[in-house]
Amino acid sequence: HVLLQGGYMGGFLCHCFCTYVCRHAESHRCGQIEGSRSHAVFLSAAKQHMEQRIVCEIPDAVIIASAVPRLPGTSRIVIPGLAAEKQVMMLDLQGICVSSGAACSTAVLRESEALKNMGYPSFYAQCSIRVGLCWHTQQADIDRFLHTYIDMVKMSTRDDIQ
């Protein structure tokens, strides 16, 4: 399984953030903070590359809050008309873990309240997934996700979500 979210199984036990915080705190105590910084730079660059490729290959894709500073390894992708639940399940069948809810609702198939609270249309929440790149994410994981996700979206029929 490609564990972009950091969990053990598709949609379950996302511990990426906790693991990152614990490792960051541990490296800080040991004076090894530079390794954490360099990986955060890698994650940020990898996320930017991933988002640019998705928008290039899928013209109607929307990256939430792409113009503002965000966590280095977190991306929210909207594919209008393609239900989030369908995206999550199709990726899970390919061994790729993503989520449709907010970070605090991992393993729950429901739309993100955060998007509605940020002023985005409600159908964005119904058609978006959250992709998390973690401390152990490698470029090969991102490449596999991109290939699988782009092909999946291009071959999928869109739902009537508005």
Side-chain angles (χ1 to χ4, degrees):
H1 286 310
V2 175
L3 303 175
L4 294 174
Q5 295 280 133
Y8 292 108
M9 295 169 37
F12 292 101
L13 302 174
C14 178
H15 69 283
C16 171
F17 183 71
C18 293
T19 302
Y20 176 78
V21 169
C22 291
R23 287 182 149 249
H24 183 72
E26 181 180 308
S27 67
H28 180 67
R29 281 193 305 265
C30 298
Q32 299 171 349
I33 202 163
E34 195 55 43
S36 295
R37 283 189 189 141
S38 65
H39 195 67
V41 170
F42 163 75
L43 290 178
S44 185
K47 176 187 72 176
Q48 184 177 15
H49 166 74
M50 177 183 74
E51 292 174 348
Q52 289 172 345
R53 176 113 180 263
I54 288 170
V55 170
C56 181
E57 298 276 340
I58 308 165
D60 61 337
V62 176
I63 306 299
I64 297 295
S66 62
V68 298
R70 296 172 286 147
L71 291 172
T74 303
S75 182
R76 169 76 62 179
I77 305 163
V78 179
I79 305 294
L82 187 55
E85 294 85 0
K86 183 188 258 185
Q87 295 180 60
V88 170
M89 287 187 247
M90 290 175 74
L91 288 168
D92 186 53
L93 290 172
Q94 297 299 315
I96 298 173
C97 304
V98 298
S99 178
S100 61
C104 56
S105 66
T106 300
V108 177
L109 284 175
R110 71 169 172 241
E111 61 192 51
S112 171
E113 292 291 323
L115 292 180
K116 287 191 243 179
N117 294 337
M118 291 169 66
Y120 288 100
S122 71
F123 81 89
Y124 271 31
Q126 297 169 8
C127 301
S128 72
I129 62 169
R130 181 176 44 84
V131 178
L133 308 178
C134 298
W135 62 271
H136 64 277
T137 300
Q138 302 294 315
Q139 187 62 48
D141 299 323
I142 297 164
D143 293 342
R144 179 165 176 248
F145 166 75
L146 284 169
H147 175 77
T148 303
Y149 189 64
I150 291 167
D151 286 352
M152 177 199 80
V153 171
K154 287 181 176 180
M155 294 186 323
S156 295
T157 57
R158 304 294 173 102
D159 305 301
D160 190 24
I161 299 173
Q162 298 180 22

